[in-house]
Structures are given as structure tokens and as C-alpha cells.
Amino acid sequence: MKLQQLRYLVEVAKQGLNVSEAAEKLHTSQPGISKQIRLLEDELGIQVFIRNGKRVVSVSEPGKEVLRISERILREAQNLKRVGDEFSRESEGALTIATTHTQARYALPATIAEFVRRYPKVKLSIKQGSPTQICEMVVSGEADLAVATEGIALYKELAMLPCYEWNRSVVVPQDHPLLSLDRPITLADIAAYPIVTYDFAFAGRSKINKSFADAGLEPNVVLTAIDTDVIKTYVALGLGIGIIATMAYEPQRDVNLRAIDAAHLFESSTTKIGLRKDAYLRGFAYSFIEIFAPHLSRHVVDSSLLTREEDNE
């Protein structure tokens, strides 16, 4: 049995049972993958994949367990490599952060700048996506940690570390009537106008909907986007008023817009870091986390990972 054979198994499953795509992803040949998988099946004495002719059509019941164990073995093999790297190359390596646009654009820049200053030899990568996409990146090993507001709690493989709380503002063009209110803005005020805001999966959109529903109001959402800058662009064009994360309003850059605090109208959201519970973290990964959220020291992170593992036993 070879690690490469396990890698082939897992990649075929990951590519929707398409052996050709798995071969392309692994930079090898389709016949080579098929041969190695059959050799492994012969050694195990079971059929992992069910075939119709030469085409893989499904995973057998014992094959599902083989895949689960194979994924764990490959993760542990990667952890072994990281242990070696930690002691032989303490300040070198790679760190991949998976996050949403709002976090990448507004919350992470200062952390990334400081991290790069401290660890110039570490290759830092940022992958963006929806909360579901970035969590799956961490689960699959494509990223080391996720930074998001939504989604992390849905994945049992991930430990969740709260970082900071934030709320929302309403952004409007400079001459908008809402700017002349002599009292705090209300949900009814907002509901009277077309609204441009985040896609449902992003940035606490569920909390926005809940606030309107609790007030018996139906917001007129005319456009949703995953990118805060897109939302602000269309508000400036007069398509509607925007509901965005307060941190995403930058007075010096958003010169065509004004922000109205709406924290009293919506439940606050918490940005969190998601980590695989079984991951081995390099020292610089702990450092990144603590730069971003100073209360998350190495001891706190390790304690949280240990607690999460015990909860699952």
C-alpha cells in the first residue's frame, strides 16, 4: 500500500468520480491512476469504486470507509511533514488563508502587512469565496484556516475561534433624504427604499432578514452581491440604499456616499477563524492568528482545538 494510491483514490472521489479530471489535477495519466487503484483494491480485497465498463459510477459501501480513512492518513502524512518543517525551517513555508471578500478587503490588510514583515520567507496566499466554499477549502486541505462570519459552525471537522464583533451601516448617496432625519434611523425608514446588500450566504445576511421579519416588515431587496465594493458602486449610481458592514465604509475613498449607523437595528455578527481540529499548525500560523486576534494566543488556540476534539469523542 502506498500513499500515492490513497492520493489517487481521494482525488478521483473529489473530482466527482471523473478519473480523467483526477489525472489532470495530479499531473499524471488516467491509465496510471486506474492501474494503481485496482492494485490497491486487490490488496484490500474489496472494490472501492463501482464501475460500468471502464467508467467509475459510484463508491461502494466499504469504499466509503476506505476513502474516509485515506483522507485521514493523507492529512496525518502532511502533518508529519509540517512537524519536520517546523524544526528545520522555522520561518519558511507556506500559509493559505481562505476568506470572504469583505474580510480580505477590509479586515485583513493590516494583519497581512504585519505578518509579511515578520515572516518574509513564508509564501502567503489568500483564496476568496463564499463561506461554504472557504470552509470546504480548509476541510479538504486546500487552505490552512478560514476567516468568515458565516458557515464555520456547520462543519464538524472545524474548530471555531471567535475573533471580533461587528455590525452594519446604511450607505446612501450624499443628497439622500435619510440623511436629514433628526432621530435614529428605523427599519421602517430603510424598508421604504430599494435595498442593495449582501448575498444571503454572506456577512450575516440572515441577521438582516431576521430583524425585518421580527418587525413585520418586508425589505425591498433589488440587488445582492458578494462584494461590498459592488454594493457601494450601485448605491452611488442611485439603484437603492445599501446595508453593509460598518468596517467597509471608508470616508476618504467613498466620497460619493454617506454612512448612517444601524447597529441598533441589527444583532451584531462575529467574525471567526476556522481550523481543522486535527491540523498541525506551524509556528507562523499561530502568529498570524494572534496578529489578527490578539486574544487568541497559541495556548488559547491549542486549548480550543483540544476541547473540540474531546467534544467529538
Side-chain angles (χ1 to χ4, degrees), residues 172-243:
V172 298
Q174 288 183 323
D175 57 352
H176 199 276
L178 287 177
L179 294 171
S180 61
L181 293 175
D182 57 359
R183 54 173 172 75
I185 194 171
T186 67
L187 289 171
D189 294 328
I190 299 172
Y193 295 91
I195 297 170
V196 184
T197 191
Y198 299 107
D199 183 83
F200 189 82
F202 283 76
R205 170 70 189 280
S206 57
K207 295 183 184 296
I208 294 175
N209 289 4
K210 183 177 184 300
S211 293
F212 281 107
D214 290 347
L217 297 169
E218 183 69 30
N220 178 23
V221 178
V222 295
L223 177 68
T224 62
I226 65 174
D227 185 322
T228 308
D229 291 335
V230 171
I231 294 172
K232 291 189 290 187
T233 294
Y234 283 98
V235 171
L237 289 173
L239 189 64
I241 63 175
I243 303 176

Side-chain angles (χ1 to χ4, degrees), residues 66 69 92 98 100 121 138 154 177 234 252 255 263 265 281 287 304:
V66 170
I69 295 172
E92 298 180 27
T100 60
K121 294 183 179 180
V138 177
L154 302 177
Y234 283 98
Q252 292 182 338
V255 294
L265 300 179
L281 297 178
S287 183
S304 179

